[in-house]
Amino acid sequence: MDEALTFLTVSDADRVRTLLHHAFGEHGLEVTTHADHAVDAEGRQFGFWNVAATCADVDRQDWPAVVRDHVRHLLESFDGEDPFEGADPDDQRRRTYVRLLPADALPDLDAFPHRELAPGIIEALALDLPDSLSIYNHENARAAGGWELLHRAGLENLRALPTEQVQLVDAHDGGAFHVLLGDSVHTGSRALLLPDLPAGVDDAPPTDLGWLMSVPHRHQLCWHVVRDATVVSVVNSMARFTALGYSDGVGQVSPHLYWWNGSAYVQLTRFDEEGTLSIHVDGDFADVLQRAMGD
């Protein structure tokens, strides 16, 4: 079955994506197609899950018509009132979130204010309205006060989100890591708040050894504060957990595991051309492992 549209086979899911790409093109809209969504030049995201689910319930010969109707109705709703036009600045900031996205999620990255959180992951600004979620371009951001003001507001709004579900996942050979899960599309973006953890989850303060972090998809955040020798087991388990979560999740962000070195995130995992996962331990992180193990 397809990794993103899990109720379809790989070939059927690819056909739905092709039909969607062509349907957008018929409306003069050039989109970048991803596994579970498309993004246009303005940063608008169009999810595939609902239309793919509809296709799964009807005959294949009806798929082109289903997809065309879906795209037409979708664009009619998007082509209505511009969510940024005439917006009250205070209300706009209350609805703004910093959003973590894969670095290739936006077709023209330079058109949108952003910065890198970790290799392959960027921070962008999102306006979350009841019926839509739109990414700020430079013009939208300037009109609403600029990157710094909106970024601060976006972080505060992330902090105000309720903690939906936290799990403590045991590593195979000792130790454990935390997983934050939620229905909110902003759950994974709470990685930006580390090491400020949800209240009552992990009251021990972080150490100078840093922490491990991964964001498999928008509904999941994983982390582990490095304190002792169990980090060796946790790295291996967390790397596999992250890769599996990425392949199964909706709104994929990154399949990689990262370590915070005190000033930036360092990518610890790699995939070769055949898709085999490996963990790279060298430099500062190798020193951290030695310190954690008491050597």
Side-chain angles (χ1 to χ4, degrees):
M1 303 302 286
D2 189 76
E3 291 182 349
L5 306 176
T6 54
F7 40 80
L8 296 176
T9 65
V10 172
S11 60
D12 282 348
D14 285 342
R15 184 177 180 224
V16 170
R17 294 183 187 105
T18 299
L19 289 170
L20 283 161
H21 190 88
H22 289 163
F24 282 114
E26 289 174 356
H27 289 269
L29 198 63
E30 193 67 34
V31 298
T32 300
T33 303
H34 299 274
D36 64 347
H37 70 285
V39 184
D40 70 5
E42 297 179 10
R44 299 183 298 182
Q45 297 188 31
F46 308 95
F48 293 166
W49 187 271
N50 290 340
V51 66
T54 301
C55 287
D57 290 334
V58 301
D59 293 335
R60 286 177 175 81
Q61 65 184 15
D62 296 327
W63 287 10
V66 168
V67 169
R68 283 196 298 270
D69 286 345
H70 173 82
V71 170
R72 178 173 56 81
H73 288 302
L74 190 64
L75 293 180
E76 285 176 353
S77 65
F78 267 88
D79 289 338
E81 184 178 351
D82 184 343
F84 296 100
E85 185 175 351
D88 176 75
D90 291 334
D91 181 63
Q92 198 168 341
R93 285 191 287 273
R94 284 192 293 270
R95 295 179 179 273
T96 294
Y97 293 83
V98 186
R99 183 83 182 273
L100 294 184
L101 298 170
D104 62 355
L106 301 174
D108 182 10
L109 191 56
D110 290 338
F112 302 88
H114 68 278
R115 69 183 179 196
E116 183 181 84
L117 173 70
I121 303 178
I122 62 165
E123 303 174 40
L125 300 170
L127 180 63
D128 192 348
L129 298 176
D131 297 321
S132 67
L133 188 145
S134 302
I135 303 298
Y136 283 81
N137 61 25
H138 287 294
E139 181 181 354
N140 301 145
R142 283 194 296 269
W147 166 270
E148 293 297 336
L149 180 63
L150 291 171
H151 192 272
R152 287 196 300 272
L155 290 180
E156 288 304 316
N157 292 333
L158 285 177
R159 289 190 183 94
L161 290 173
T163 299
E164 297 180 72
Q165 183 181 359
V166 178
Q167 296 179 354
L168 187 64
V169 179
D170 292 328
H172 291 298
D173 297 315
F177 58 93
H178 287 93
V179 179
L180 177 65
L181 304 163
D183 292 330
S184 169
V185 297
H186 305 296
T187 298
S189 297
R190 294 175 74 171
L192 290 161
L193 307 180
L194 291 174
D196 294 334
L197 309 177
V201 171
D202 189 348
D203 294 326
T207 72
D208 62 352
L209 300 178
W211 59 83
L212 304 175
M213 178 278 293
S214 67
V215 188
H217 53 82
R218 67 192 183 197
H219 300 290
Q220 190 176 76
L221 162 64
C222 311
W223 77 92
H224 169 81
V225 176
V226 181
R227 296 193 177 98
D228 53 38
T230 61
V231 65
V232 176
S233 173
V234 170
V235 163
N236 286 282
S237 294
M238 202 168 164
R240 291 192 295 269
F241 184 93
T242 298
L244 288 172
Y246 176 84
S247 66
D248 292 339
V250 176
Q252 297 167 319
V253 178
S254 174
H256 293 296
L257 177 64
Y258 303 91
W259 165 63
W260 178 258
N261 68 4
S263 60
Y265 279 106
V266 177
Q267 183 176 318
L268 300 180
T269 52
R270 303 286 189 276
F271 291 89
D272 64 19
E273 294 180 355
E274 297 179 351
T276 302
L277 172 68
S278 62
I279 300 170
H280 288 240
V281 176
D282 51 24
D284 291 340
F285 189 62
D287 294 338
V288 162
L289 291 184
Q290 289 184 341
R291 289 176 57 196
M293 292 186 289
D295 293 340

